[in-house]
Amino acid sequence: MNSHLHHQSQSHGNHALKPRKKRLARDQLRLLETSFNANQTLKAEHKIELASQLGLTSRQVEIWYQNRRARNKNNAIEHDYKNVQLELDNVMTENTRLEKQVSTLKYELNKVQQMILFGSTTSASALASVSGYSDEQANSTSPGNMICNWRDAGNDEIFPVEELYTCLTGSGTQLWPLS
């Protein structure tokens, strides 16, 4: 136990021998900051001039500059990290929106495929409900809607993809050449 007390008194004694680190005064900090903002690198003659103005050693000024540059670098990294996080959040939000859109489109495609496979005799009005057309548009006798009959007169073949696309979009243009 005595050795423990003896060790404590030695460590306190050693601690007392180290000079206590002084904080810089506000005036000193202001001058250093102003100088740093003007030029982040320190030339030897400028370092000596600053040290004499501030009442510090040139080594203290040099170390302050090194620490300030390190702080700047850390702040820049933190700022970049926050920007990357914001960008990631935006991408994730867009990804979620696109996943929902894909899900909706898959559902609509599945619905159309079921209608085709089960040979529904409903023509454009059934497709219109899937693609978002009104009944008035679907039931019109325009040439665009006329080709949307599930089966040609007396022909039981399933629509080619191009014709189905034409029915769903209501456009007369085809994306692929018919085979």
Side-chain angles (χ1 to χ4, degrees):
M1 190 162 185
N2 275 339
S3 66
H4 178 69
L5 288 175
H6 180 67
H7 180 62
Q8 273 187 337
S9 65
Q10 275 185 341
S11 65
H12 284 296
N14 289 342
H15 185 66
L17 295 177
K18 287 185 180 179
R20 190 145 192 227
K21 207 178 201 182
K22 283 187 176 180
R23 290 205 171 265
L24 297 175
R26 287 185 186 172
D27 304 0
Q28 290 173 317
L29 281 175
R30 239 180 268 132
L31 183 59
L32 283 168
E33 286 289 343
T34 304
S35 174
F36 183 82
N37 290 334
N39 192 3
Q40 293 185 1
T41 56
L42 193 59
K43 294 183 180 173
E45 54 274 355
H46 187 65
K47 176 176 42 173
I48 294 167
E49 182 184 324
L50 268 175
S52 67
Q53 283 179 339
L54 297 168
L56 301 171
T57 66
S58 59
R59 180 73 180 140
Q60 285 175 306
V61 172
E62 184 180 342
I63 290 172
W64 185 90
Y65 261 74
Q66 288 173 354
N67 291 340
R68 186 65 174 86
R69 281 191 297 269
R71 211 173 324 135
N72 266 11
K73 185 177 179 182
N74 286 339
N75 288 341
I77 289 170
E78 190 174 313
H79 180 73
D80 290 347
Y81 175 79
K82 286 179 183 177
N83 285 340
V84 168
Q85 279 297 115
L86 285 173
E87 194 172 322
L88 176 64
D89 290 345
N90 291 339
V91 168
M92 295 297 287
T93 300
E94 178 68 6
N95 186 41
T96 301
R97 186 190 68 75
L98 289 172
E99 284 176 346
K100 287 179 184 176
Q101 187 177 8
V102 164
S103 177
T104 301
L105 290 171
K106 281 181 179 179
Y107 173 76
E108 289 178 6
L109 178 62
N110 187 31
K111 201 169 173 182
V112 168
Q113 287 173 338
Q114 286 180 356
M115 290 168 61
I116 290 171
L117 289 175
F118 294 122
S120 171
T121 56
T122 308
S123 64
S125 60
L127 280 175
S129 69
V130 172
S131 63
Y133 286 125
S134 67
D135 285 340
E136 187 176 301
Q137 288 171 316
N139 291 329
S140 83
T141 56
S142 70
N145 284 336
M146 296 297 278
I147 63 168
C148 290
N149 289 328
W150 283 110
R151 297 178 184 156
D152 294 330
N155 187 354
D156 288 342
E157 291 182 28
I158 295 178
F159 274 151
V161 173
E162 294 85 5
E163 289 184 35
L164 181 58
Y165 178 80
T166 303
C167 286
L168 288 173
T169 61
S171 69
T173 60
Q174 293 179 329
L175 295 179
W176 308 278
L178 291 172
S179 44

